[in-house]
Amino acid sequence: MYNATRRNFLQHSALFWAGLSVPGLASAQSQSQSQADNGRITQLFNFGWKFAAGELPDAGAVAFDDSGWRKLDLPHDFQFEQPWDKSAGEARGFKAMGTGWYRKSFKADPAWKGKKVLLDFEGLMLYGDVWLNGRKLADIDYGYLGAEVDVSAALNYDGDNVVAVRASTGGSKQSRWYTGGGLFRDVHLVVKEPIAIARHGVFISTPVVSEQGAEVAIRIDLDGISNKQLDVLIRAVIFGPDGARIAETLTAAPKGIRLAVVNAPLQAMQVAAPKLWSCEAPNLYRAEITLIQDGKVLDQVNEQFGIRTVEFTKETGFHLNGRKVFLQGISNHHDLGALGAAVYDRAIERLFIQLKAFGFNHVRTSHNPYSKSFMRLADKHGILIVDELADKWSEDESWPGQQPFSRLWYKIVPDWIKRDRNHPSVIMWSLGNELQMREDFGGFPTSDWGVTTYKLLDTLVKRYDTTRKTTVAMFPSRANAAVRGTPEFNVLIPPELSLVTEVASYNYQFPSYQTYLQHAPHLIIYQSEAATSTLTGAYYGMDKAKMVGLAYWGAVEYWGESNGWPKKGWNFSFFSHALEPYPQAYLVKAAFSDEPLVRIGVVDGAGEMVEWNDVQVGKMSVSSHWNRPQGSQQALFTYTNADEVELLVNGKSLGRQPNPRGEPLRRNIIYWKGIAYGDGGSVTAVAYTGGREVARHELRTTGKAVALKLETETTQWRADGMDLQYLKIRLVDKSGQVVPLGEDELKLEVSGAARLLALDDGNHSTDALYTGTSIRMHNGFAMAILRSGREPGTVTVKVTAAGVKGGAVALKTVR
């Protein structure tokens, strides 16, 4: 096989040097090669770690006794397991700051000798340090991007190797929200030849795109050839969304370049009749990049990409593939509910599925880079991403680095851009957030509200990607950092930095945007944070034909930034942290979706409102159930995108009301008051458009809870040790209706090929931890999160509660 492969390569190499095309190069044979044959080994390094909390001197030493440490698998957020602590502070989620240590032993394969052996840490909260065999090898200074650590020189080939990692959550003021702590993302072991493709060293762009064809341009960063005269060939093969091989090229690597990392542009490739990537049809291509020397494969990597165009204009906002698209999104922090900050693909995927079901098409990754899997799954599900680097450009406060911003910016910007630039979902780079709160948050002390710092950062971004625009999310949303209560606040002049960013991003203040345009007609406006308290007013209050879009702040509950105990985080939201929709989520869906819709929301109380970033934020307390006090009078809303709604109580019509479409702050919202509840029964909303019924929603009074109902979310549960199964648990009455108000104590037993990872009550004010085997339901709801084992098998879950019939379910994990 080797001789045949060598002959095939030499023949095609000769054709290449003769300037001829090389169709069929390295056919299916190359795709079936093992990792070792491809010159690179990549192994998930998440399993078999030990953990201990606290500051432990000498824990990086080989001889340190870790026999009493807890055994676990990554990802892991040690901070979320800590007790809720009222004295710890509301910003960081009422969790104390601290340190955690991780250790793992492994064997080194003698075949690795002479190669580069790397540990690639995708993330470490908030920052930390890495040892191998007692040698400190790395400081990971910005945990949101992690680091690749070269361990080659410290390996022991005659016995065990001990890797130790210290993780710190930093100081309480180093972040304004809950960050989590520890090895919260994947770790990989990578073994490759000295001559290899660098970390995140493939850049794919599509400079020319039409319905007839697309040009694919690829550039490669190479390690190991600096200032050398080596005959290394770079082969690139493109595979279509259906897996078919559709284009290829063979290029000689540059020689004699004295830069440490050599950049090699490849010959452009043509794709006929490309299948474009969009929100509705997220078509993905794959590029296989191979390094070859003397007929031997040195290295091979695969990168997914999409073929699409993005354009921003002051006249029409944002265009994807030449079509106007208005961003309908969320701004949130990176935690995933009951998992804390620990990153699992399934948790991200269910977020995207829920968002798309409600008409969302966009996420702004406030205020730091999310995981690589977040971007990959956004590509898969057609979610548009505004990718954000940082909150403040600060030297200490609100800067989550182990070193000041001024010592890290030129290192982390390239890492961030190179990591995410191939994702078609990423449409814009956001370099910072709310920098005009204080002058020292704006980076270098140039007395211009961060304008010079932005220009430096933008220049560095353009070194690695010229295909996307850059922005900074602004607050205060006035020049000279004027905030509410200052005389200048009523003078609607946009902040200085927003006048020079390529896209002008403003947090809130949408009523001011038209005046901003009078002051600066060149602005391309994006509402980087919209208040959920405005409901759809922030959406209808924008000039959607001209502007880019909006992202609702905290549309999903997240930990930290609480406005007071016992709330553990932000909950002025459309979805609970368990992704259960509140009634207001259906109002947003009525605006974002063309699907005819009506939804009833019964008023539970006034809720609360607080001032936040110069706007009033909060949420009226509304729920969708009809279990109310006998003889009471109720007020309710119907949310609809239809022309009018008829309300019926126990089948009796209370009349119709029109949709107040002419009022942006009230559009799609119809208020009904003085509704007699009586002894219960039903309330029904019927929506009409053009006089014809198009949708209806009914709430019925339920009986007493008699049983538990169990619902799984995933049909294909993979036995890879990383996949999750979400099991929702609800109370039901004898007719099977969900009982909405139960607070029953649940106990779970899980056996078989999975383990219980977390138990969630969906309650953002709970004092309970999510790590046990029992939990009290909240509003008749609880949820178990199960993590698969690494071998396929059956999983049995039993759930019991006093006074009601328990439930059980048998599940399977598969290869």
Side-chain angles (χ1 to χ4, degrees):
M1 180 179 293
Y2 171 80
N3 290 335
T5 303
R6 180 175 175 81
R7 283 197 306 273
N8 185 59
F9 168 76
L10 291 174
Q11 290 168 359
H12 284 95
S13 179
L15 288 172
F16 170 77
W17 291 114
L20 300 177
S21 62
V22 287
L25 176 65
S27 59
Q29 182 182 10
S30 67
Q31 299 178 46
S32 64
Q33 291 175 322
S34 68
Q35 286 182 308
D37 291 337
N38 290 339
R40 177 183 292 237
I41 298 170
T42 302
Q43 297 176 352
L44 187 63
F45 209 60
N46 284 359
F47 305 107
W49 289 81
K50 293 182 177 181
F51 171 78
E55 194 62 81
L56 304 171
D58 302 322
V62 174
F64 186 89
D65 182 9
D66 61 12
S67 59
W69 286 23
R70 171 186 166 195
K71 296 179 180 179
L72 54 76
D73 298 326
L74 306 179
H76 178 238
D77 177 359
F78 73 78
Q79 191 177 32
F80 200 64
E81 299 173 342
Q82 298 172 179
W84 303 107
D85 182 351
K86 186 176 181 180
S87 67
E90 57 198 23
R92 298 291 292 269
F94 296 109
K95 297 284 188 178
M97 302 302 101
T99 303
W101 279 88
Y102 298 84
R103 286 168 60 95
K104 176 175 175 171
S105 297
F106 66 100
K107 299 285 188 182
D109 189 330
W112 299 350
K113 290 182 178 180
K115 300 186 178 184
K116 294 181 71 172
V117 183
L118 309 159
L119 288 177
D120 196 318
F121 295 88
E122 191 191 333
L124 173 65
M125 276 291 99
L126 196 61
Y127 45 71
D129 318 288
V130 180
W131 285 258
L132 183 69
N133 297 331
R135 288 176 56 181
K136 185 178 178 182
L137 298 181
D139 297 309
I140 297 180
D141 293 321
Y142 187 69
Y144 285 100
L145 288 170
E148 182 182 74
V149 180
D150 190 339
V151 301
S152 309
L155 281 174
N156 174 17
Y157 285 94
D158 298 320
D160 286 342
N161 291 273
V162 179
V163 57
V165 180
R166 176 185 175 273
S168 170
T169 60
S172 61
K173 291 187 177 182
Q174 284 197 264
S175 178
R176 299 185 296 135
W177 57 87
Y178 176 78
T179 63
L183 291 171
F184 74 121
R185 295 180 184 163
D186 291 341
V187 180
H188 283 90
L189 174 73
V190 179
V191 183
K192 59 184 183 179
E193 297 288 346
I195 299 173
I197 298 167
R199 186 181 192 233
H200 307 143
V202 178
F203 178 32
I204 304 171
S205 61
T206 53
V208 178
V209 177
S210 71
E211 293 183 359
Q212 292 73 36
E215 179 181 300
V216 178
I218 302 178
R219 302 179 69 92
I220 309 296
D221 287 341
L222 298 174
D223 289 331
I225 67 169
S226 176
N227 201 27
K228 294 179 180 178
Q229 301 289 329
L230 300 175
D231 293 325
V232 176
L233 295 175
I234 309 167
R235 183 179 69 212
V237 183
I238 294 177
F239 298 88
D242 59 357
R245 185 190 194 98
I246 58 174
E248 59 191 270
T249 189
L250 194 65
T251 304
K255 297 179 181 181
I257 303 298
R258 293 183 176 85
L259 295 170
V261 176
V262 176
N263 185 260
L266 306 189
Q267 182 180 350
M269 287 176 280
Q270 304 300 317
V271 175
K275 295 182 178 179
L276 302 186
W277 185 94
S278 67
C279 298
E280 299 77 21
N283 295 300
L284 292 170
Y285 289 75
R286 176 171 64 90
E288 179 188 86
I289 313 298
T290 307
L291 301 187
I292 305 166
Q293 185 183 37
D294 296 331
K296 176 186 175 183
V297 172
L298 297 177
D299 197 11
Q300 187 177 93
V301 298
N302 285 270
E303 281 284 328
Q304 281 193 328
F305 68 100
I307 298 176
R308 54 96 177 108
T309 64
V310 296
E311 183 183 13
F312 294 84
T313 72
K314 64 181 181 179
E315 293 82 12
T316 54
F318 171 66
H319 287 247
L320 180 67
N321 300 324
R323 182 175 67 88
K324 165 72 177 180
V325 175
F326 193 78
L327 301 187
Q328 300 171 171
I330 70 169
S331 284
N332 255 71
H333 293 304
H334 69 180
D335 67 69
L336 293 166
L339 301 174
V343 174
Y344 293 85
D345 284 13
R346 184 71 69 181
I348 297 167
E349 194 149 29
R350 71 190 296 266
L351 168 66
F352 288 158
I353 291 170
Q354 185 73 308
L355 289 178
K356 292 207 78 170
F358 279 78
F360 291 84
N361 62 14
H362 161 54
V363 174
R364 170 183 169 230
T365 65
S366 43
H367 296 298
N368 301 93
Y370 283 21
S371 67
K372 290 195 289 187
S373 57
F374 195 92
M375 303 302 169
R376 173 172 50 79
L377 290 166
D379 292 345
K380 174 183 174 181
H381 288 278
I383 300 290
L384 300 166
I385 301 293
V386 172
D387 198 348
E388 193 154 277
L389 174 68
D391 183 16
K392 308 290 182 283
W393 303 330
S394 168
E395 295 298 275
D396 42 45
E397 187 178 338
S398 297
W399 173 250
Q402 190 165 215
Q403 297 185 54
F405 162 81
S406 61
R407 298 183 188 177
L408 293 179
W409 69 277
Y410 62 92
K411 300 177 184 178
I412 64 176
V413 168
D415 281 352
W416 169 54
I417 299 296
K418 291 164 75 174
R419 192 197 74 164
D420 292 349
R421 61 189 174 180
N422 292 335
H423 292 286
S425 57
V426 176
I427 59 170
M428 183 163 54
W429 306 113
S430 177
L431 297 169
N433 172 68
E434 298 183 349
L435 301 170
Q436 282 194 232
M437 292 173 66
R438 290 189 346 217
E439 187 176 1
D440 60 312
F441 285 164
F444 297 110
T446 51
S447 297
D448 57 2
W449 296 115
V451 168
T452 298
T453 304
Y454 164 74
K455 290 181 177 180
L456 287 169
L457 294 172
D458 178 68
T459 299
L460 188 55
V461 168
K462 297 296 194 292
R463 162 67 179 86
Y464 298 99
D465 177 33
T466 59
T467 70
R468 298 171 178 90
K469 292 189 179 297
T470 58
T471 191
V472 174
M474 295 308 303
F475 171 81
S477 294
R478 299 287 189 273
N480 195 35
V483 296
R484 190 176 299 277
T486 61
E488 307 99 310
F489 184 76
N490 294 322
V491 181
L492 302 184
I493 299 176
E496 291 82 352
L497 181 54
S498 71
L499 298 177
V500 300
T501 54
E502 293 181 303
V503 173
S505 297
Y506 300 109
N507 292 351
Y508 316 108
Q509 301 299 337
F510 67 90
S512 304
Y513 295 167
Q514 293 297 340
T515 306
Y516 286 178
L517 287 171
Q518 293 175 17
H519 179 85
H522 73 280
L523 295 178
I524 303 171
I525 291 180
Y526 163 58
Q527 189 174 181
S528 39
E529 293 177 20
T532 54
S533 57
T534 66
L535 300 174
T536 50
Y539 175 75
Y540 288 118
M542 295 183 72
D543 184 343
K544 299 205 299 297
K546 187 171 187 175
M547 296 178 184
V548 169
L550 84 173
Y552 279 104
W553 180 257
V556 180
E557 292 175 345
Y558 61 84
W559 307 114
E561 292 191 287
S562 164
N563 67 310
W565 184 272
K567 293 200 305 184
K568 305 309 186 297
W570 180 279
N571 73 335
F572 303 140
S573 306
F574 299 139
F575 301 90
S576 76
H577 69 253
L579 295 184
E580 292 290 286
Y582 293 118
Q584 292 92 332
Y586 292 90
L587 172 61
V588 176
K589 183 176 183 178
F592 284 0
S593 171
D594 293 331
E595 174 190 342
L597 180 149
V598 67
R599 191 79 179 184
I600 301 170
V602 184
V603 178
D604 294 323
E608 59 179 319
M609 296 290 286
V610 298
E611 185 168 312
W612 189 280
N613 286 7
D614 287 338
V615 296
Q616 291 291 313
V617 300
K619 185 176 70 173
M620 179 177 285
S621 182
V622 178
S623 60
S624 287
H625 70 82
W626 201 235
N627 285 29
R628 305 291 167 173
Q630 288 191 0
S632 62
Q633 297 281 312
Q634 297 296 321
L636 58 85
F637 294 98
T638 51
Y639 305 129
T640 188
N641 50 16
D643 291 346
E644 58 182 349
V645 172
E646 181 181 18
L647 194 71
L648 301 94
V649 176
N650 296 328
K652 181 181 178 181
S653 177
L654 302 185
R656 298 187 185 189
Q657 288 198 59
N659 186 339
R661 287 183 174 135
E663 305 174 53
L665 295 180
R666 293 185 56 228
R667 181 170 176 169
N668 292 354
I669 304 171
I670 301 173
Y671 181 58
W672 308 78
K673 61 181 180 179
I675 309 301
Y677 177 74
D679 295 328
S682 66
V683 58
T684 307
V686 183
Y688 300 90
T689 293
R692 181 177 62 87
E693 179 181 335
V694 293
R696 68 168 53 208
H697 181 226
E698 182 175 81
L699 303 177
R700 299 189 65 84
T701 304
T702 68
K704 179 182 177 182
V706 299
L708 298 174
K709 180 181 179 182
L710 278 55
E711 303 171 344
T712 57
E713 286 189 352
T714 305
T715 56
Q716 288 293 311
W717 188 12
R718 299 185 305 276
D720 59 4
M722 294 294 296
D723 199 11
L724 305 183
Q725 175 68 263
Y726 283 78
L727 179 67
K728 293 180 179 179
I729 307 163
R730 304 184 194 274
L731 290 166
V732 294
D733 65 11
K734 63 181 181 181
S735 64
Q737 293 186 99
V738 173
V739 179
L741 299 175
E743 306 289 331
D744 299 51
E745 181 82 15
L746 301 181
K747 294 184 178 180
L748 269 76
E749 296 179 23
V750 179
S751 59
R755 63 182 177 87
L756 180 63
L757 190 62
L759 262 181
D760 188 4
D761 57 3
N763 180 8
H764 226 54
S765 295
T766 188
D767 290 337
L769 298 177
Y770 295 139
T771 54
T773 58
S774 64
I775 199 165
R776 186 170 295 279
M777 303 181 84
H778 179 63
N779 292 335
F781 170 84
M783 185 169 69
I785 307 175
L786 311 173
R787 180 174 179 171
S788 67
R790 300 171 72 184
E791 295 295 331
T794 301
V795 181
T796 302
V797 184
K798 295 180 180 179
V799 189
T800 58
V804 299
K805 182 181 178 181
V809 61
L811 308 168
K812 287 186 177 181
T813 62
V814 297
R815 284 291 184 204

